[in-house]
Amino acid sequence: MIKIFVTGDNHIGKKYNRYATIKEQLIKSRFDSMDAMVEKAEQEGCSLFVVTGDLFDNVSSIKITDVKQVVDILSKFSGNVLVLPGNHDYYTGEEKLWKDFEKYLDNQPNNITILNEYRAYEFEIGDEIAIVYPAYCQSKHSRDNNLGWIKESNIAVDSAGTYNIGIAHGAIEGVTPDMREEYFLMSETELNAIPVDAWLIGHTHIQYPILNENEVGEGYKIFNPGTHEQTDLHNNTEGACFIVELDNYQGVSTTKVNKIVSGQVRYYDMKLVVKSESDKELYNGIEKLVAGIDVNSIVRINIEGFLKEEEYRDRGKIYEELLARFMFYEVEDSELSEEITIEKIRAEYSELSFAAQFMEKFMDNPVELKMAYQLVNKCKE
């Protein structure tokens, strides 16, 4: 039996320019989460620590100090560390990133292997053997995946004490959005047809299979851990990794997987609809929406609907009071409006005027009333 710690899409070197005031905290958190994963892998007795691609965010502008820090962290693992180049940190042999990485490897124990050849890699784990078949990336985009050479390999099936492990980076059909089919697209049928004991996949930033924290799944063959820490608001997961356990007893191969939450910063992209039913509609709505969210989070709320005059006027103060506790927040409220009442209309227009009578016809429909109010005000201008 062997245990494999699986992570990917770590995107070390991501600049976070959108979050200028907290960018250094976000950059640091990616390193801290990686350090914690290595420690967890040691605690769980894992023999392999596998990075399924996109360890780095790009191949040209990663700081040398960042490369060194990654090597230092990974070198703490007592077993073998396997790093697959993904589509963001692809490998051709000419990239500055990998030259810097290999430079620092020379100063560390030889436990880190860059899987940059289309060949079988063999690792001894006690009395057992892990044979690894990598499908690494040589470019950022491709309409073809890199599974071809593995399909043609003579893989020994059900060999006692030997585990065949495929590691690939690319989109999974039906799991990963890839409308143009330009991210090394693979199908589950294609992967399952190759006689390996497990596939460790990178590229998709959400987990597959989907498991709860510390939930054990059995019988799966394809494992995509997702990013170890969210990268932005569009990635609404907690940041996770997998521990995959392979067993080959009397020629029968079995798998187990355990999801570990590894992210330290969480992003929330939420929507709130308000209806001006009370004087604290906005306050109560936001308070309920963010209840239970840790302060170490980035929050964006899209708000639409209608508010009573006073609360609409004071909405900025409400945002600050309820959201300032988070690392960063932003509110999009262009679809939020002050409630238009008869009193408001008659305060601005004569009761007998065409404008007032026109708008009052829409009092039962707030959306149409808003449009009518905007139309009348535009004509007045």
Side-chain angles (χ1 to χ4, degrees), residues 14-24 26-27 328:
K14 186 173 176 62
K15 294 181 172 56
Y16 288 106
N17 290 329
R18 177 179 178 182
Y19 306 106
T21 58
I22 58 167
K23 64 181 294 183
E24 295 306 320
L26 297 177
I27 290 170
F328 186 93

Side-chain angles (χ1 to χ4, degrees), residues 50 242 260:
V50 175
F242 284 157
I260 307 296

Side-chain angles (χ1 to χ4, degrees), residues 197-364:
D197 297 301
W199 277 107
L200 312 179
I201 308 292
H203 182 67
T204 308
H205 285 202
I206 57 174
Q207 300 89 47
Y208 181 80
I210 298 175
L211 302 170
N212 295 319
E213 184 176 6
N214 295 320
E215 176 185 356
V216 176
E218 298 187 23
Y220 296 101
K221 181 177 177 178
I222 301 170
F223 306 97
N224 186 108
T227 182
H228 78 301
E229 177 141 326
Q230 284 177 272
T231 54
D232 212 333
L233 287 159
H234 66 274
N235 178 216
N236 192 29
T237 68
E238 66 273 81
C241 44
F242 284 157
I243 293 178
V244 175
E245 183 179 307
L246 303 181
D247 199 2
N248 191 331
Y249 180 69
Q250 295 183 345
V252 179
S253 179
T254 59
T255 64
K256 292 182 181 179
V257 58
N258 186 18
K259 171 185 171 181
I260 307 296
V261 173
S262 54
Q264 298 190 12
V265 177
R266 184 74 188 265
Y267 295 72
Y268 292 87
D269 192 8
M270 299 175 289
K271 182 177 180 179
L272 177 64
V273 178
V274 291
K275 298 180 180 179
S276 69
E277 293 177 349
S278 74
D279 293 333
K280 297 188 69 175
E281 180 79 9
L282 181 65
Y283 189 99
N284 293 337
I286 294 177
E287 186 177 45
K288 181 179 180 180
L289 191 65
V290 301
I293 296 180
D294 189 82
V295 296
N296 203 34
S297 300
I298 291 172
V299 174
R300 177 170 67 187
I301 305 178
N302 290 274
I303 307 176
E304 62 180 65
F306 301 89
L307 295 175
K308 294 187 181 301
E309 179 182 2
E310 184 176 356
E311 194 173 35
Y312 181 76
R313 185 182 64 239
D314 295 337
R315 65 192 186 281
K317 296 177 182 178
I318 294 172
Y319 301 154
E320 184 68 14
E321 179 181 346
L322 296 177
L323 302 176
R325 65 186 177 94
F326 298 114
M327 290 179 67
F328 186 93
Y329 79 87
E330 59 185 51
V331 176
E332 169 54 55
D333 64 2
S334 60
E335 296 299 317
L336 179 65
S337 304
E338 177 187 344
E339 179 186 30
I340 303 169
T341 62
I342 289 179
E343 291 75 19
K344 179 177 177 63
I345 293 172
R346 291 178 181 176
E348 297 179 22
Y349 298 91
S350 168
E351 180 179 349
L352 299 177
S353 68
F354 170 79
Q357 293 182 42
F358 171 70
M359 285 185 283
E360 288 178 18
K361 291 180 180 180
F362 300 99
M363 292 304 301
D364 292 333

Side-chain angles (χ1 to χ4, degrees), residues 128-242:
E128 299 177 302
I129 296 174
I131 302 177
V132 173
Y133 299 84
Y136 74 96
C137 298
Q138 293 181 304
S139 60
K140 189 167 185 178
H141 303 99
S142 175
R143 294 187 65 85
D144 300 315
N145 62 49
N146 295 311
L147 301 175
W149 80 270
I150 305 175
K151 295 176 182 178
E152 297 172 0
S153 299
N154 185 22
I155 300 176
V157 180
D158 297 332
S159 178
T162 299
Y163 301 93
N164 297 302
I165 303 166
I167 308 177
H169 191 90
I172 302 174
E173 187 177 14
V175 176
T176 316
D178 186 13
M179 302 301 292
R180 297 181 180 179
E181 298 185 2
E182 59 183 359
Y183 288 107
F184 307 89
L185 188 64
M186 303 170 279
S187 70
E188 291 186 70
T189 300
E190 183 179 22
L191 291 167
N192 284 321
I194 299 174
V196 296
D197 297 301
W199 277 107
L200 312 179
I201 308 292
H203 182 67
T204 308
H205 285 202
I206 57 174
Q207 300 89 47
Y208 181 80
I210 298 175
L211 302 170
N212 295 319
E213 184 176 6
N214 295 320
E215 176 185 356
V216 176
E218 298 187 23
Y220 296 101
K221 181 177 177 178
I222 301 170
F223 306 97
N224 186 108
T227 182
H228 78 301
E229 177 141 326
Q230 284 177 272
T231 54
D232 212 333
L233 287 159
H234 66 274
N235 178 216
N236 192 29
T237 68
E238 66 273 81
C241 44
F242 284 157

